[in-house]
């Protein structure tokens, strides 16, 4: 969506509809190499961390975000980045961005993968990635830069942007209308915004998942704990209205589903399912240990015991879970 009328969006993303594959065949993973970016640099002295539940967490604006920032999490973020590439048919975005785009902002850049890849594909652009954690690689494309910042604080940039991108920030944004206002205030007229966020609880495709299934119950607890932390995990349901209210035009919503496991038809959908299964395996523990102990009153032992059943349920290939995005 952008600040004034412009052209249509490009090819629609994969996963708008999923169909169960009754043959349960494995995906063909020979689709070529993963999209890899150059390494990147960060000129920042913000290197403080905190350690809890055997994981490393950001210390800058502590508790502003619910997931860790250690090597395990960085690997998960790279898997997630690849799933988005598959979902967008190999593209970095769906907005009709010019190859000569100048100023680009990636909010919540994480490992910096998206920002670096965009900078490589648009060498005339100037790309800034912001994040709470200084976990980006040491070397960057010459037109890519990283800053430590909290997206919910006031934005102070020396220029406006032609394209502002963000994704998977739902665990760190407490006030999306304010977030959209900051984007509006920092976009050039005619500039584009693109945002991609998931929903909790997890989705259930059919009657293969009873209401007592541990993974479904886990995701419901995540929603409950997030609500107590001031985060709405179903916020995407109001995005279109909130973005329109801010004044944006050309607002397009493309809901997609990531299967959890290789249960859907289609080789691409199966590959997305396999990677999403691995992605989910890697974050269920960190989210539960952080949120359930802080906001639901659970002990670490209670969480770990519950996660045994959750992991077992997640590995059940007869159940058809998906993430709605």
């Amino acid at each position: 969506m952008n600040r004034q009328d412009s052209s249509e969006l490009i090819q629609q993303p994969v996963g708008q509809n999923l169909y169960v594959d009754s043959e349960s065949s494995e995906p063909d993973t020979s689709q070529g190499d993963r999209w890899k970016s150059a390494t990147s640099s960060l000129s920042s002295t913000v290197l403080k961390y905190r350690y809890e539940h055997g994981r490393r967490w950001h210390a800058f604006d502590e508790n502003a975000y619910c997931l860790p920032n250690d090597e395990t999490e960085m690997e998960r973020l790279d898997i997630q980045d690849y799933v988005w590439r598959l979902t967008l048919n190999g593209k970095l975005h769906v907005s009709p961005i010019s190859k000569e785009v100048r100023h680009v902002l990636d909010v919540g850049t994480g490992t910096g993968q998206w920002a670096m890849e965009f900078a490589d594909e648009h060498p005339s652009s100037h790309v800034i990635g912001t994040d709470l954690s200084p976990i980006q690689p040491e070397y960057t494309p010459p037109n890519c830069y990283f800053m430590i910042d909290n997206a919910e604080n006031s934005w102070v940039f020396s220029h406006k942007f032609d394209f502002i991108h963000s994704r998977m920030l739902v665990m760190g944004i407490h006030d999306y209308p304010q977030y959209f206002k900051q984007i509006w205030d920092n976009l050039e007229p005619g500039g584009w915004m693109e945002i991609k966020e998931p929903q909790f609880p997890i989705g259930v495709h059919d009657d293969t998942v009873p209401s007592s299934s541990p993974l479904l119950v886990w995701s419901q607890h995540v929603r409950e704990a997030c609500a107590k932390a001031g985060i709405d995990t179903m916020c995407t349901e109001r995005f279109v209205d909130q973005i329109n209210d801010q004044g944006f035009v050309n607002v397009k919503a493309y809901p997609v589903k990531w299967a959890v496991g290789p249960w859907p038809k289609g080789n691409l959908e199966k590959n997305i399912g396999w990677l999403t299964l691995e992605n989910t395996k890697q974050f269920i523990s960190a989210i539960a240990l952080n949120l359930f102990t802080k906001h639901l009153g659970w002990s670490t032992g209670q969480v770990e015991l519950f996660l045994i059943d959750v992991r077992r349920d997640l590995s059940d290939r007869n159940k058809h879970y998906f993430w709605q995005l």
Side-chain angles (χ1 to χ4, degrees), residues 55-58 65-70 73 77 133 286-287:
R55 303 294 299 271
R56 190 186 72 188
W57 310 76
H58 72 91
Y65 183 64
C66 300
L67 284 165
N69 67 1
D70 52 20
E73 175 65 5
L77 290 174
S133 296
I287 289 180

Side-chain angles (χ1 to χ4, degrees), residues 1-4 180-181 183-185 187 191-193 242-251:
M1 61 291 296
N2 71 340
R3 287 191 55 153
Q4 67 184 36
F180 296 143
K181 183 180 186 303
I183 293 176
W184 174 269
D185 291 341
L187 268 181
W192 287 85
M193 169 183 79
Q242 290 171 348
I243 292 167
N244 276 314
D245 289 346
Q246 182 56 56
F248 287 94
V249 296
N250 288 329
V251 179

Side-chain angles (χ1 to χ4, degrees), residues 47-59 62 69-70:
L47 296 173
K48 294 181 180 179
Y49 301 113
R50 60 185 175 89
Y51 295 85
E52 194 173 21
H53 304 300
R55 303 294 299 271
R56 190 186 72 188
W57 310 76
H58 72 91
E62 186 175 340
N69 67 1
D70 52 20

Side-chain angles (χ1 to χ4, degrees), residues 178-198:
Q178 174 61 23
Y179 178 65
F180 296 143
K181 183 180 186 303
Q182 293 226 82
I183 293 176
W184 174 269
D185 291 341
N186 285 272
L187 268 181
E188 292 282 6
W192 287 85
M193 169 183 79
E194 187 165 316
I195 180 170
K196 313 178 187 80
E197 296 296 340

